[in-house]
Amino acid sequence: MVLFTPPQLTVLACFPPAILSVYAMTMFNTDGGGDSGEIVASACTQSPSHPPGYPLLLMMNGVFMNLAEAVGLGDTPAYRANFFNCVLGAAAATGCLFLSLLLAMTTNARDPQSRAQHSLAQLKEVELEWSNNSKKGKKKKTPKKPGSPASTNANRLKNTTGPPQQSPLPQTQFSACVCAATCFAFSKGIWEYCTQAEVFPLNNLLCSILLSTTLLFLHLSPLPSGLLSPSQRNLAVFGGLVCGLCMCNQHTSSIYIFVCVLSVANGHEMALLNRDRKTLIFTAVATIVGLSPYYYLVIRANAHAKDGWGDQRTVRGFLRHFLREEYGTFVLASEWESGEEQSSDKFMRRCKLFLTTFSSESLHVGIPAVTVFLYYAVKYKNNAAQTIFTAYAFYTIFFNYLANLTFSQLHVNILGRMWQQSTVAGFAMAGAGLGKISLRFDTKMATAAFAILSLFQIQRNYSSMDRSYVTVFQTYAENVLKNLPPNATLMTNDDMNCNTLHYLVSCENPRPDVNVLKIPLITYDWWKPMQLEHFPNVINSFPGTRHHPYDAGGFNMKQFLDVNVSPGTKPPLYVLGDWKSGDSSQDVYSRVPVGLVDLVLPPDSPPLDLYQYAQTLDSNLWPYDPATNIPPTPGSWETVMTVKYQNFYLLASHRIASLIQSSLSPSDSPSQKLQSIYIAEVGVKAYTFLLSISNNFPSSPTSTLTVQRSAYRNAGVLSGILSNLNYSLKRPSKPSALRMFEFWDVFLRNCEFEDAMEERDCKEISVFLEQGVNPYSGEKWKGEEGFDFLKEWEGFRERKKKT
């Protein structure tokens, strides 16, 4: 349908491997963020993932990972799945390119369906004439004389129903489409999710194929008889298959499917419905075949695959999973989890966010270029091109109306992932519109300009999208598991805790003795019959049908802990993340931060010895390494992981700081003081790790990485106590005294910045800094080497009084 010159064919051949090579250089070499861990883990165990299960991607990932392992590609399942995702991403970019080329071709044709409509009108005219002749008794067939009306109509019909003459696209239009597809591939919203195992690249690929198939079907003309041409029949059947496959991956594609199916059914005067029923039947069968991967979920459910989501063994269970009832059908999130009530103002705000994002990622030429495309589609009455814009607009409006997430930066980023599907059509139309504009310029200049735009898009996003060195997700999961005692039970909550551990346990399995139990999943009634057999630690102590304090047969978390937390008789139980909201019964149990996880202790258990606690904590104090992470940005999964480390350091250091003073006594022996020194050193170490994150990354009053100034005060207090303990044993006290003043220096600067100098803590610390004295030991350090910064606070209170 579209002809290409030899140089254009060369570009088309090089385009997919070029995109793939950049993706492969920037992809995660280990587990990624978001749902990546769950997707790879599901591929390892071949178990259904969260609704709607993504059976097509599950099967494809499993096959590719096995083949990659056989040929020695990569060292881990995560690497292989991430690389396969890069392949799908490159294929999706190529699909966007071909869609853009087809759209560019249609914008060069005036009313591509007019040939079909004109042919059908002439056919009716001929049939009417033959019918009138029959009524007059002219039953005998006579050869048509040249020049007769019937002969003229037949010849006119013959001459107007053939395929249009095609010629290669002008080079400027071709270059514009390549530029648009390149900008699509390397826009942040697309690139980020092509570097780790995700569902979006496959969805983008399938949607580009669906739209291209619809466009071709509508653009081609039917036969003179009014029946579909062989090409159109094949396209209809293939389109049905693609519709089914789309639904096997991402259900948001149903919005595109709705528009495309209506357009195909209504196209060419409803030829598929009225005159080609056989093709319609084959199309329906092809759609069912496309949906067949869902049967694989039934097979795996019958096998009770470990960590599989849902019970698809029954029709009701299958529909529950397929329709996403646990999340809320036709919404992104349930209101009790992270959703909110929709309104017209919120809808308009989301649409504005979408347009702003698309404009930015398309280098601010996307919206004008799409407008030009739409102008020519309407001007030429181009029904095929208008259908693509209709699908684009309908998806944008309908999806942003259904998107009931909050406007937190994390949820806005999650919403951005779902915009990718409309971005496929958006960039493709932008390429076609840009191609029409480029026809007014010199070919060489336009081609050079498009090449520069493409390279600029890659250059401006490369550093922020390079995940090749990011290992924070994998390292986090490894640190969680490393120091757990044998046969421990670990209960996890929230997406990143569950997904990172899910991957490590299911695919690499460094600790097969540890039972990792996901708190959100045990709230479902299908979990016990489907999954309990895989968790030997709780198989005989699961106190009800599911965790639900208000459900008949359910249990609250206290009842679960009552039978699973028994020191000496049951393996120790740890928690990673918060308890499930809506149930506070477990609050009678205490949680002790002994690492990235908390140890759960029963209400009547004696408090942990502080010295033993410090020893345990010291062995689990894994430093956060910024070299293995990109600079956290608001709402990113990397920021979520960084905050997890911060919370761990904060809770651990605060526990020591709050308990150490009550444990000290003037009558302590030297050995007891040495133990207290060790305890304080561990606490200062935790504070140092905590505050180093804020020092490594830019912070602001609204940033989740900003540490409250009280942390600097408490860190100084603990350092001062440590300095006093060393001083009492005639050990060097200067290093810890210096740390005390450094922490307090930052604390007081924050007091100034926040205009809080009249607060009690700020006043007290200002006195200590002015005088250069350690209030715990009475030592004065003003004027000593290394304490020069204390001079800045001389006369500070007097200056404040004057101002």
Side-chain angles (χ1 to χ4, degrees):
M1 182 172 179
V2 183
L3 299 179
F4 300 106
T5 64
Q8 291 173 350
L9 289 173
T10 302
V11 172
L12 291 176
C14 295
F15 185 82
I19 301 295
L20 175 60
S21 63
V22 179
Y23 281 167
M25 287 189 295
T26 57
M27 76 174 194
F28 283 92
N29 290 305
T30 59
D31 184 23
D35 293 332
S36 180
E38 183 192 6
I39 289 170
V40 185
S42 295
C44 289
T45 59
Q46 288 296 287
S47 57
S49 58
H50 67 274
Y54 311 105
L56 180 62
L57 184 62
L58 173 67
M59 298 168 69
M60 293 175 69
N61 265 333
V63 171
F64 182 86
M65 288 163 62
N66 288 332
L67 291 175
E69 184 178 12
V71 300
L73 175 63
D75 298 326
T76 64
Y79 181 95
R80 297 171 190 129
N82 293 342
F83 183 82
F84 182 55
N85 201 64
C86 292
V87 173
L88 293 174
T94 307
C96 179
L97 171 58
F98 274 96
L99 176 60
S100 187
L101 291 170
L102 291 172
L103 289 170
M105 178 273 300
T106 61
T107 57
N108 292 342
R110 291 179 181 272
D111 191 8
Q113 287 208 72
S114 64
R115 297 187 304 274
Q117 295 167 359
H118 188 47
S119 301
L120 289 172
Q122 292 174 342
L123 178 63
K124 290 178 180 178
E125 182 182 339
V126 172
E127 290 176 344
L128 180 61
E129 184 175 345
W130 287 344
S131 175
N132 291 335
N133 290 337
S134 298
K135 290 180 180 179
K136 293 177 181 179
K138 296 181 179 180
K139 298 181 180 179
K140 183 177 180 181
K141 293 183 179 180
T142 58
K144 294 183 287 289
K145 297 180 180 180
S148 66
S151 175
T152 302
N153 283 337
N155 290 333
R156 194 163 69 247
L157 187 64
K158 178 179 179 181
N159 293 332
T160 57
T161 57
Q165 295 295 320
Q166 294 292 336
S167 60
L169 277 177
Q171 183 59 38
T172 53
Q173 284 188 291
F174 179 84
S175 299
C177 293
V178 173
C179 175
T182 303
C183 289
F184 163 80
F186 297 114
S187 60
K188 283 187 176 181
I190 299 298
W191 196 345
E192 180 177 0
Y193 292 98
C194 289
T195 58
Q196 58 188 315
E198 266 291 0
V199 302
F200 305 107
L202 178 58
N203 185 56
N204 295 338
L205 172 61
L206 292 171
C207 286
S208 66
I209 295 173
L210 174 66
L211 294 176
S212 297
T213 305
T214 303
L215 183 68
L216 284 170
F217 178 91
L218 296 174
H219 185 76
L220 293 175
S221 299
L223 297 173
S225 62
L227 296 176
L228 297 177
S229 67
S231 296
Q232 287 176 308
R233 292 171 185 166
N234 293 335
L235 287 169
V237 175
F238 179 70
L241 177 67
V242 174
C243 288
L245 293 176
C246 283
M247 291 298 293
C248 285
N249 186 58
Q250 184 97 3
H251 281 188
T252 54
S253 59
S254 61
I255 304 175
Y256 274 175
I257 292 172
F258 176 76
V259 176
C260 291
V261 168
L262 284 182
S263 299
V264 168
N266 190 56
H268 307 299
E269 297 190 354
M270 304 180 72
L272 183 62
L273 297 180
N274 293 337
R275 297 186 296 277
D276 217 325
R277 302 289 177 81
K278 183 178 180 181
T279 302
L280 180 63
I281 294 172
F282 280 124
T283 302
V285 172
T287 304
I288 296 172
V289 172
L291 288 168
S292 62
Y294 265 109
Y295 184 65
Y296 186 63
L297 296 188
V298 179
I299 296 174
R300 295 307 297 162
N302 278 285
H304 286 216
K306 185 178 179 180
D307 282 326
W309 190 302
D311 182 359
Q312 298 83 21
R313 297 175 300 175
T314 64
V315 174
R316 180 69 190 96
F318 175 82
L319 290 176
R320 180 184 184 186
H321 194 74
F322 180 80
L323 297 175
R324 300 178 75 251
E325 290 182 9
E326 286 137 345
Y327 288 162
T329 306
F330 295 122
V331 294
L332 277 186
S334 56
E335 292 186 12
W336 60 268
E337 189 177 38
S338 55
E340 64 176 19
E341 188 176 349
Q342 185 62 279
S343 69
S344 58
D345 290 341
K346 293 174 183 176
F347 165 69
M348 294 302 297
R349 184 178 173 186
R350 288 190 181 93
C351 290
K352 182 179 178 181
L353 278 172
F354 166 77
L355 292 174
T356 303
T357 302
F358 175 66
S359 178
S360 174
E361 295 198 340
S362 62
L363 303 176
H364 302 293
V365 300
I367 293 178
V370 171
T371 304
V372 171
F373 164 81
L374 182 61
Y375 168 77
Y376 281 101
V378 174
K379 179 181 178 181
Y380 293 163
K381 299 179 181 179
N382 190 323
N383 180 61
Q386 290 178 35
T387 297
I388 304 304
F389 180 82
T390 302
Y392 169 78
F394 188 68
Y395 178 87
T396 302
I397 294 171
F398 191 64
F399 179 79
N400 282 314
Y401 181 78
L402 294 180
N404 63 331
L405 293 174
T406 69
F407 286 93
S408 69
Q409 190 59 55
L410 177 60
H411 283 175
V412 169
N413 288 356
I414 293 174
L415 185 62
R417 297 187 300 173
M418 314 306 293
W419 287 336
Q420 293 185 49
Q421 183 171 310
S422 86
T423 303
V424 175
F427 273 94
M429 291 187 296
L434 206 57
K436 294 296 289 186
I437 298 172
S438 68
L439 291 174
R440 300 177 180 270
F441 298 93
D442 178 73
T443 299
K444 291 184 178 179
M445 289 181 58
T447 301
F450 292 141
I452 291 172
L453 279 177
S454 300
L455 292 174
F456 176 72
Q457 179 81 320
I458 299 173
Q459 184 274 331
R460 77 165 184 159
N461 292 330
Y462 189 94
S463 60
S464 61
M465 292 296 104
D466 182 10
R467 303 303 207 265
S468 59
Y469 62 93
V470 176
T471 60
V472 64
F473 303 101
Q474 175 100 0
T475 304
Y476 175 81
E478 290 173 346
N479 290 342
V480 166
L481 290 180
K482 273 181 181 176
N483 286 87
L484 290 177
N487 303 312
T489 298
L490 174 62
M491 302 186 73
T492 63
N493 198 7
D494 88 32
D495 285 348
M496 291 316 303
N497 287 334
C498 292
N499 292 343
T500 54
L501 268 296
H502 191 181
Y503 164 73
L504 197 61
V505 170
S506 299
C507 297
E508 299 187 20
N509 202 16
R511 292 293 305 273
D513 59 306
V514 174
N515 279 246
V516 180
L517 194 64
K518 299 181 184 66
I519 294 176
L521 296 195
I522 65 175
T523 63
Y524 295 112
D525 53 14
W526 50 258
W527 189 88
K528 183 176 181 180
M530 295 295 293
Q531 295 296 320
L532 186 59
E533 63 194 78
H534 298 297
F535 297 88
N537 282 12
V538 297
I539 194 169
N540 295 317
S541 52
F542 201 73
T545 56
R546 61 170 176 154
H547 172 213
H548 197 298
Y550 311 113
D551 186 35
F555 58 88
N556 60 36
M557 186 51 65
K558 179 182 180 300
Q559 292 171 320
F560 179 87
L561 297 178
D562 285 343
V563 293
N564 285 286
V565 179
S566 302
T569 60
K570 291 285 257 180
L573 188 144
Y574 297 84
V575 178
L576 180 62
D578 296 328
W579 297 112
K580 192 70 174 175
S581 60
D583 183 5
S584 59
S585 63
Q586 70 282 333
D587 292 350
V588 297
Y589 282 77
S590 58
R591 293 177 53 162
V592 181
V594 294
L596 290 169
V597 298
D598 294 347
L599 174 64
V600 179
L601 294 176
D604 56 351
S605 62
L608 291 179
D609 178 78
L610 192 56
Y611 178 66
Q612 293 179 351
Y613 170 73
Q615 288 179 311
T616 303
L617 183 62
D618 193 19
S619 65
N620 292 338
L621 267 178
W622 302 102
Y624 173 85
D625 184 4
T628 65
N629 192 9
I630 64 170
T633 55
S636 70
W637 293 118
E638 287 80 5
T639 300
V640 171
M641 301 309 294
T642 305
V643 171
K644 289 184 182 297
Y645 276 96
Q646 276 190 317
N647 290 338
F648 158 48
Y649 299 145
L650 179 63
L651 291 173
S653 56
H654 179 70
R655 182 177 178 83
I656 287 180
S658 61
L659 295 177
I660 190 171
Q661 293 195 61
S662 61
S663 69
L664 298 175
S665 172
S667 60
D668 284 347
S669 64
S671 61
Q672 289 175 318
K673 288 184 178 181
L674 286 174
Q675 287 188 353
S676 297
I677 287 173
Y678 175 75
I679 294 169
E681 286 175 340
V682 173
V684 171
K685 181 180 177 182
Y687 271 123
T688 302
F689 286 165
L690 166 67
L691 301 176
S692 67
I693 295 177
S694 296
N695 296 334
N696 276 309
F697 300 116
S699 61
S700 67
T702 59
S703 171
T704 53
L705 299 178
T706 301
V707 177
Q708 297 293 325
R709 69 173 187 267
S710 59
Y712 290 94
R713 176 197 174 279
N714 296 339
V717 169
L718 197 56
S719 299
I721 292 173
L722 176 59
S723 179
N724 178 44
L725 288 169
N726 283 317
Y727 177 71
S728 67
L729 292 179
K730 297 182 170 43
R731 290 160 54 108
S733 59
K734 181 178 178 178
S736 49
L738 180 60
R739 292 294 290 148
M740 176 190 71
F741 286 119
E742 288 174 340
F743 285 134
W744 282 350
D745 178 74
V746 177
F747 170 77
L748 199 56
R749 292 184 188 279
N750 284 333
C751 287
E752 275 195 296
F753 178 77
E754 297 172 19
D755 196 22
M757 287 304 304
E758 296 304 313
E759 293 183 11
R760 175 185 166 186
D761 288 342
C762 297
K763 284 183 177 180
E764 286 184 351
I765 300 301
S766 68
V767 173
F768 302 146
L769 286 174
E770 273 188 306
Q771 298 177 356
V773 64
N774 180 352
Y776 301 98
S777 65
E779 292 180 283
K780 292 187 177 181
W781 296 97
K782 195 171 183 180
E784 295 288 333
E785 183 180 357
F787 293 81
D788 296 339
F789 63 93
L790 293 177
K791 293 180 180 179
E792 297 180 25
W793 299 104
E794 289 181 357
F796 174 73
R797 285 177 297 167
E798 292 299 323
R799 292 198 303 272
K800 293 301 294 181
K801 288 178 182 178
K802 291 179 180 179
T803 56

